[in-house]
Amino acid sequence: MIKIRENIDKISRELMRFGLNEYQSKTLAGMFSIREGTAADLILVAEIPKARVYGILDELIEMDAIRKKPGRPTKYLALEPEQAMQNIIEFRLKKSRDEAKALISMKMSLVPEIKRTFKGAAPLEKKKSVFEVITAGGVAEFETKKMYASAKKRIYIMTGVFE
């Protein structure tokens, strides 16, 4: 039993790198190890909290990584790892495409709203920084002369050059 748990932990870590969350990866690794079993079997073998096991199983079914077998008690069946992982990829791709479509749709309605809302707004003025840091040397003299030329009333210079 210890060796099985070590293997489940190892595969679970890899499945997390594949993008599954902790409980999804533990449950799927547990399913790969027992191939077919009940929620109670998974609670024991993969150490999934009882309160979370059915939700996680439903998520994996939605991703088409496992299947539910009819009957009492309900049993779950692991797909072949290659097929399960391919199905997860396809699930994620579809979800990403759906999210992108939703964002594009939102953009189509939001951009005109933003333009209407801020139509009369004045553009922001670029303000000059209160402080300007100039390195000592030949550049300092040139930059200081530029500041003198652009100053409206006065400039204040703090320096450590003469220390």
Side-chain angles (χ1 to χ4, degrees):
M1 188 69 161
I2 292 172
K3 183 68 172 163
I4 291 171
R5 282 217 175 106
E6 287 173 4
N7 290 338
I8 289 171
D9 288 344
K10 176 185 170 195
I11 297 302
S12 176
R13 284 190 299 275
E14 293 303 314
L15 289 170
M16 285 176 70
R17 288 185 51 226
F18 189 68
L20 298 179
N21 68 34
E22 180 184 0
Y23 291 139
Q24 290 168 341
S25 64
K26 278 183 166 186
T27 303
L28 188 54
M31 284 301 307
F32 288 148
S33 75
I34 62 174
R35 308 291 298 150
E36 181 180 312
T38 64
D41 296 333
L42 282 165
I43 290 167
L44 290 174
V45 81
E47 298 179 322
I48 309 298
K50 188 177 183 179
R52 295 285 320 269
V53 72
Y54 290 103
I56 299 300
L57 288 166
D58 287 343
E59 291 170 7
L60 292 172
I61 289 168
E62 182 182 7
M63 291 181 212
D64 200 19
I66 64 172
R67 301 269 163 82
K68 190 183 216 179
K69 289 180 75 174
R72 288 260 184 239
T74 302
K75 289 192 177 182
Y76 300 88
L77 176 67
L79 273 61
E80 288 298 317
E82 184 175 337
Q83 186 61 56
M85 294 179 81
Q86 183 61 40
N87 291 350
I88 292 168
I89 291 169
E90 289 171 14
F91 173 81
R92 289 257 169 87
L93 286 171
K94 182 187 179 315
K95 190 174 181 181
S96 293
R97 283 191 297 270
D98 292 346
E99 287 175 4
K101 284 179 186 175
L103 288 172
I104 290 167
S105 176
M106 287 173 66
K107 175 190 153 201
M108 300 300 278
S109 63
L110 188 55
V111 167
E113 177 68 21
I114 291 169
K115 286 182 176 182
R116 265 192 315 276
T117 302
F118 297 111
K119 187 175 184 176
L124 292 176
E125 289 182 28
K126 245 187 172 176
K127 292 186 177 182
K128 199 163 185 175
S129 175
V130 175
F131 294 102
E132 203 163 327
V133 178
I134 302 171
T135 56
V139 176
E141 182 181 352
F142 175 76
E143 291 295 328
T144 305
K145 285 180 181 178
K146 263 181 32 183
M147 282 192 287
Y148 277 124
S150 67
K152 291 189 170 119
K153 288 187 179 179
R154 62 179 73 101
I155 62 171
Y156 295 97
I157 298 174
M158 296 186 320
T159 182
V161 172
F162 304 114
E163 288 179 354

